[in-house]
Amino acid sequence: MDQQEKTIEDMGEFGFIRSIMNNCLHSPEDVIQGIGDDCAVMGPLDGKVLLFTTDLLIEDRHFLKEKSSPFELGWKAIAVSLSDIAAMGGRARHAFVSLAIPSHTKIAFLNKLYEGMKSLCRRYGVNLLGGDTSSSPGGLFINVAAMGEMAEEEVLYRKGASPGDLIYVTGSLGGSAAGLKLLKGELSCREEIGKVLLALHNHPEPRLKPGRLIAESRAASAMIDVSDGLLSDLGHICDASHAGARIFMELLPVSGELTTLCRGRSLDPRDLSLHGGEDYELLFTVPPKNRQLIEETMEFSQACPFTRVGEMTKEKGVRVVTKDGAEEEERASRGFDHFLSGDG
Amino acid sequence: MDQQEKTIEDMGEFGFIRSIMNNCLHSPEDVIQGIGDDCAVMGPLDGKVLLFTTDLLIEDRHFLKEKSSPFELGWKAIAVSLSDIAAMGGRARHAFVSLAIPSHTKIAFLNKLYEGMKSLCRRYGVNLLGGDTSSSPGGLFINVAAMGEMAEEEVLYRKGASPGDLIYVTGSLGGSAAGLKLLKGELSCREEIGKVLLALHNHPEPRLKPGRLIAESRAASAMIDVSDGLLSDLGHICDASHAGARIFMELLPVSGELTTLCRGRSLDPRDLSLHGGEDYELLFTVPPKNRQLIEETMEFSQACPFTRVGEMTKEKGVRVVTKDGAEEEERASRGFDHFLSGDG
């Protein structure tokens, strides 16, 4: 293909990001981490480092305006960015919201949107300090930039995992992807089950408290949030850590609601857990010597459920081990890429 | 009108921003300035404060994709945010770019866009540290978040001006608005004139060096960048400082190219200077006792031309004084509002 004619769709999001990573640093003296992790890390200033992340939510890509309430949309827009701060182990401090708003948008809708944003900000003591507002010729665009802080020695990068490290996740996986299917009308189910799964999709809780705990314990070696799907995000840890990983299907945490939903359908809850995105759970790795420390820390705090799901390996690639012990190598790219996966 | 039915178009951008400013601070201990100035200001950390700003550029609102080169578009996207840091007197440090990209966009276009961004970043030692990338169902959306730093005692807010303070602007005004008219084909002119005016529109220089000089001199009392138009932005200084202002038409700095363009047409260059947006010049106020200090500082540095254009008054409102001494009160809202002005 003629390079001049290549489009972003041919290259994919991750390929494009890799291609622009050169010539980005012009005064690197206080840059600890640039492009390539959940947050940029800068500092230290007064012994603390600054974390910074920014996330886009686009109508008809990341959300369907008629299918989610404006309150939930505002909540989720903030949650997605705070989840990146949680993924480094940081304390979230400030948020900045850029909105491109179709001219016919009702003030009542925008007020509810901001109520959702402020509600989550209040919950975690995050200040809403500014942003930008413009009219949009297309749909609604929301960009949330978030700033956090933490002690430099506690920051958990993607790159710290070693072969042999145990792999954990918080909460359960796949519920948000199932909620999305319900939202789109691809599935239906009993109301009390649907409510739980829809909430996982529309109203995710950024794992800030567990993230701080894990970082403070100094027991973990790497961390990321599960936004694109377990295998895709684990793939990022493997790439950054120059290692591979093995996930045990039988260990994957699947909620009761998801199991109920899938029962009697051709849906495999473990498939949704491996590939479904937007869980906003934390995926972290722990050297075996710290196993007791991390498990006791998490259990004692009762911050959230957590599960050991696999281990890092010397051999590259991510493999899934089935119940009968068979290993299958997975293409991490089955996870979410905004361009390659087409429908976003 | 039924409040439930009111749209953002009825309320306007500035009205909407005022309406969301409550309940934004949940851990204000290190917040020096939240919503309401060119940047948020946080800190201090190690004696420095952090500046933070974010700006949206939207296809068919802020730019016409076919009418500006991707290099210039990238340059301008960064320049607009750095201009907000210049407006506080800060040193620009880091930038973060969120892009919503139509799937058919060519990689060659995106590479040029990033070349423009990186070129301006290199010029001012700014690091490109991250962002977000997604596919767009509409046009191209660019959000640039920028971070800066400076000494706390040097920060220039909008709120510091007092009656009697002299009003200055850097460079010349109205050229960018004229360039936009040329770009849209509303006007045409000799190539060498058009080139200069188009460059003012497409390739603005953020006034970071003059901004630092003015802040370091400690001679000024308030500062803002002229992005929405002189009268609109001066109106923000007046509102924040609880004062008014008087601008002398005869003193407005108009470039030779703009004067040439307007000659023999029904265009008034001074009207473009008062109301035209996107000049990205600095507007600053100086107590009369510091007049010699600021003028000598600016002249000695040769950083850029600067002109005294008026004075702050006790009487509220912004008035324009014509050649024959007549005073006319101007509605600041003739300046740019993304919703009220309709076509953006």
Side-chain angles (χ1 to χ4, degrees), chain A residues 270-288:
Chain A
R270 308 220 184 262
D271 197 61
L272 283 173
S273 306
L274 287 172
H275 301 289
E278 300 199 84
D279 292 306
Y280 301 110
E281 296 294 349
L282 296 177
L283 167 66
F284 56 104
T285 61
V286 176

Side-chain angles (χ1 to χ4, degrees), chain A residues 22 27 46 61 98 125 135, chain B residues 22 27 46 61 118 125 135 143:
Chain A
N22 59 338
S27 61
D46 280 346
R61 280 291 179 274
S98 294
S135 66
Chain B
N22 58 339
S27 63
D46 282 346
R61 278 291 179 274
K118 290 177 183 178
S135 65
N143 188 77

Side-chain angles (χ1 to χ4, degrees), chain B residues 87-110:
Chain B
M88 312 296 284
R91 179 185 170 209
R93 292 302 324 279
H94 312 295
F96 307 85
V97 178
S98 293
L99 282 183
I101 311 171
S103 303
H104 55 78
T105 305
K106 296 207 172 117
I107 293 294
F109 176 94
L110 294 171

Side-chain angles (χ1 to χ4, degrees), chain B residues 1 58 69 106 113 117 120 147 162 187 206 263 296 324:
Chain B
M1 177 182 274
I58 303 175
S69 77
K106 296 207 172 117
L113 184 79
M117 292 197 265
L120 182 53
M147 212 181 278
S162 300
L187 285 178
R263 195 175 295 146
E296 282 178 6
D324 56 13

Side-chain angles (χ1 to χ4, degrees), chain B residues 181-227:
Chain B
K181 283 180 186 293
L182 292 171
L183 203 70
K184 286 179 165 174
E186 294 172 10
L187 285 178
S188 63
C189 68
R190 285 212 320 275
E191 202 187 328
E192 69 269 28
I193 301 288
K195 226 165 141 176
V196 174
L197 297 172
L198 280 169
L200 285 171
H201 184 75
N202 288 329
H203 212 96
E205 189 72 40
R207 293 293 197 185
L208 284 159
K209 282 173 195 168
R212 286 293 310 127
L213 264 177
I214 295 163
E216 278 171 347
S217 77
R218 310 286 295 272
S221 52
M223 191 151 68
I224 193 169
D225 69 328
V226 182
S227 54

Side-chain angles (χ1 to χ4, degrees), chain A residues 75 78-92 120 123-124 169-173 200 203-215 223-226 253 255 278-284 298 302-307:
Chain A
W75 173 287
I78 300 284
V80 167
S81 281
L82 299 193
S83 180
D84 282 325
I85 290 177
M88 312 296 285
R91 177 184 172 210
L120 183 52
R123 193 172 167 87
Y124 291 104
V169 290
T170 59
S172 66
L173 298 173
L200 285 171
H203 213 97
E205 189 72 39
R207 293 294 197 184
L208 283 160
K209 282 173 194 168
R212 286 293 310 126
L213 264 177
I214 295 163
M223 192 151 67
I224 192 169
D225 69 329
V226 182
S255 71
E278 300 199 84
D279 292 306
Y280 301 110
E281 296 294 349
L282 296 177
L283 167 66
F284 56 104
M298 295 294 282
Q302 301 192 312
C304 68
F306 68 101
T307 315

